[in-house]
């Protein structure tokens, strides 16, 4: 197969949903989701652009919408300095490689992906190197994205190489992408660990106010045997050098540039996880692997835990298998069988969409950048409709939790959190109501009861949502304060609960009598 042929579409390789595409970087606006239940949401492109975050206020890498995928120079990158031949980007993100993309010198690139992992293979025939890069977000409790880069000498002579991973670390709210971008960089406290670069801002400075920050953003790395990198360059301005850029950085292009070692700390700079590994000689046909761990580290979690859990090739492979098993188990409940095997394999990817919808919400994919995070009211119930097929054991508890968003006047919360039953007061203080919102809980609950036979479900009790909006958004409660919480209380201060049937009746009778 000619790797330099024009892109002519992807094809499936097996019934597990694995597919491939040649020259994927020639397909504009292409991206792939990587996510886990712990809350890390990543996006990756054939040039490893994209972002990684846990919510609107915690972005490990800079937020992207779809146009940023080709406009930005900030991407996951892995550089190789080849002695006597110069610098090469294993992700295709050097200035020279970008310039060659529409010429006969464009490098052969191959994409292979599955549930939910993403592997790119790129060759540099003139340098004699092949790079295979695999990314995934492992199942479990850690908010991490893993990346393994395997370099192979495809020449008949030895190559002397110096690898440098380069992960720009944004480390703040999406609000600061323009508004207070520089001010929030002044809050950065950057330090070195033996395995990488850590960024822990002093404050979380966003629409919620100025709050003490307890989250650390990390770019860590290890050689295949678990050995730590040689040195680091954690500051963007030092990494690119005067007159340089992320697609032609001085730290890589001039290999004599001095790096830093732990312990070392800086305050008030834009950060990058630039990890330089020791110079090695690759014999013909020999390969060498490196593992990169990109993490959002919550209070109480440690770098040591991440390194011990993920920081070697063997650990990476173990988690890669666990990841594949996890997603195949998630999708095993729904199978399609038609006369067209390729169509069956495509439908397997359709089946994962409701799960991705639940995890990403409206706001965290480049083409789906509506709002500031999470899902809307309709989404809660429409997602449950799909999950009745995909994850039936979870639906009853999700439905029960969702009813906590109903107000006693029949309207409902409009700011939905990431956890089941988590609703917030309207931060924009904009009164609004939709005529169809009451219908979705009824329709979804009816289908659940029809399928499960659990008629007693209607008699379960749930609280009601309370914030400043009353009288179906025509008035405000001047006595309500956020400190009181967002659950409806009686005049004596007790939290009030009603049956789910009561919630449904309230949602239908109030709009009827307000028509």
């Amino acid at each position: 197969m000619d790797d330099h042929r024009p892109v002519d579409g992807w094809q499936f390789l097996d019934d597990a949903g694995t597919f491939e595409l040649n020259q994927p970087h020639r397909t504009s606006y292409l991206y792939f989701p990587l996510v886990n239940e712990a809350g890390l949401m990543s996006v990756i492109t054939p040039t490893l652009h994209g972002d990684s975050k846990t919510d609107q206020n915690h972005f490990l890498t800079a937020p992207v919408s779809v146009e940023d995928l080709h406009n930005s120079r900030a991407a996951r990158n892995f550089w190789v300095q080849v002695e006597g031949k110069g610098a090469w980007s294993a992700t295709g993100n050097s200035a020279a490689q970008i310039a060659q993309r529409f010429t006969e010198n464009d490098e052969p690139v191959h994409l292979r992906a599955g549930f939910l992992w993403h592997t790119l293979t790129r060759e540099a025939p003139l340098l004699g190197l092949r790079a295979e890069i695999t990314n995934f977000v492992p199942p479990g409790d850690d908010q991490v994205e893993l990346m393994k880069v395997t370099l192979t000498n495809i020449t008949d002579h030895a190559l002397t190489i110096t690898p440098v991973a380069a992960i720009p670390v944004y480390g703040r709210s999406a609000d600061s992408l323009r508004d207070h971008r520089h001010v929030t960089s002044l809050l950065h406290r950057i330090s070195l660990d033996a395995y990488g670069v850590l960024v822990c801002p002093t404050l979380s400075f966003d629409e919620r106010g100025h709050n003490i920050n307890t989250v650390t953003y990390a770019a860590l790395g290890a050689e295949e045997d678990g050995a730590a990198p040689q040195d680091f360059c954690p500051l963007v301005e030092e990494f690119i050098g005067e007159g340089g850029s992320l697609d032609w950085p001085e730290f890589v292009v001039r290999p004599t540039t001095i790096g830093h070692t732990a312990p070392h700390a800086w305050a008030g700079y834009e950060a990058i996880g630039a990890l330089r590994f020791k110079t090695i000689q690759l014999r013909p046909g020999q390969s060498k692997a490196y593992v990169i761990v990109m993490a959002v580290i919550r209070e109480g979690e440690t770098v040591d835990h991440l390194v011990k859990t993920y920081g070697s090739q063997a650990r990476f492979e173990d988690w890669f298998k666990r990841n594949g098993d996890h997603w195949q188990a998630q999708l095993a409940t729904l199978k399609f069988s038609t006369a067209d095997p390729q169509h069956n394999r495509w439908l397997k990817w359709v089946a994962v969409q409701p799960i991705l919808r639940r995890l990403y919400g409206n706001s965290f994919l480049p083409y789906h950048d509506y709002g500031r995070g999470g899902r809307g009211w309709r989404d809660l119930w429409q997602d449950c409709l799909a999950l009745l097929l995909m994850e039936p054991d979870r639906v009853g508890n999700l439905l029960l939790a969702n009813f906590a968003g109903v107000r006693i006047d029949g309207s409902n919360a409009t700011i939905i959190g990431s956890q089941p039953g988590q609703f917030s007061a309207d931060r924009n203080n904009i009164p609004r109501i939709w005529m169809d919102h009451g219908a979705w809980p009824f329709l979804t609950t009816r289908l659940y009861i029809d399928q499960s036979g659990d008629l007693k479900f209607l008699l379960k009790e749930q609280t009601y949502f309370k914030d400043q909006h009353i009288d179906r958004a025509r008035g405000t409660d001047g006595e309500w304060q956020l400190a009181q919480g967002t659950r409806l209380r009686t005049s004596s201060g007790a939290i009030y609960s009603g049956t789910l049937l009561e919630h449904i009746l309230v949602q239908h009778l109030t709009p009827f009598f307000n028509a």
Side-chain angles (χ1 to χ4, degrees), residues 361-372:
N362 290 328
S363 307
F364 296 122
L365 288 169
Y367 262 124
H368 299 186
D369 51 2
Y370 172 76
R372 306 174 61 80

Side-chain angles (χ1 to χ4, degrees), residues 239-319:
F239 177 71
I240 65 174
E242 292 295 337
S245 63
L246 288 175
D247 56 14
W248 202 243
E250 183 178 22
F251 186 75
V252 173
V253 175
R254 293 182 177 174
T256 56
T257 306
I258 303 299
H260 305 278
T261 56
H264 211 122
W266 296 261
Y269 291 89
E270 290 285 354
I272 186 168
L275 325 175
R276 181 160 56 189
F277 297 92
K278 64 184 178 184
T279 299
I280 62 168
Q281 190 175 78
L282 275 183
R283 299 185 302 275
Q286 184 183 6
S287 296
K288 177 77 171 183
Y290 302 87
V291 175
I292 310 301
V293 180
M294 295 161 272
V296 178
I297 306 174
R298 295 159 291 190
E299 191 172 18
E301 299 172 339
T302 65
V303 172
D304 186 56
H305 160 72
L306 296 176
V307 172
K308 288 181 178 178
T309 305
Y310 307 107
S312 72
Q313 182 175 11
R315 294 168 190 151
F316 181 96
E317 298 299 342
D318 177 53
W319 280 101

Side-chain angles (χ1 to χ4, degrees), residues 81-99:
Q81 174 64 236
V82 183
E83 187 176 275
K85 297 184 178 181
W88 177 67
S89 168
T91 67
N93 284 313
S94 74
Q97 288 163 295
I98 295 170

Side-chain angles (χ1 to χ4, degrees), residues 464-477:
Y464 283 86
F465 180 74
K466 171 66 178 168
D467 64 1
Q468 70 268 36
H469 295 300
I470 58 174
D471 298 333
R472 295 182 64 76
R474 289 179 298 192
T476 55
D477 182 354

Side-chain angles (χ1 to χ4, degrees), residues 13-14 16-20 32-35 44 110-121 132-138 146 316 319-325 327-328 349:
L13 302 178
D14 55 37
T18 308
F19 66 91
E20 66 178 359
F32 190 84
L34 301 172
V35 66
I44 193 167
H110 183 76
L111 166 67
R112 182 173 293 193
F115 295 103
L116 276 176
W117 54 272
H118 183 275
T119 297
L120 282 164
T121 303
E132 181 181 276
I133 305 176
T134 297
N135 291 68
F136 70 98
V137 172
L146 304 182
F316 181 96
W319 280 101
F320 183 76
K321 182 181 184 306
R322 292 195 211 183
N323 183 66
D325 292 344
W327 283 105
Q328 291 300 330
W349 281 94

Side-chain angles (χ1 to χ4, degrees), residues 12 14-17 115 334-351:
F12 286 108
D14 55 37
D15 292 335
F115 295 103
L334 185 62
K335 297 181 180 179
F336 299 94
S337 180
T338 71
D340 184 351
Q342 286 289 87
H343 188 63
N344 296 341
R345 294 167 175 178
W346 177 80
L347 284 170
K348 197 173 182 74
W349 281 94
V350 174

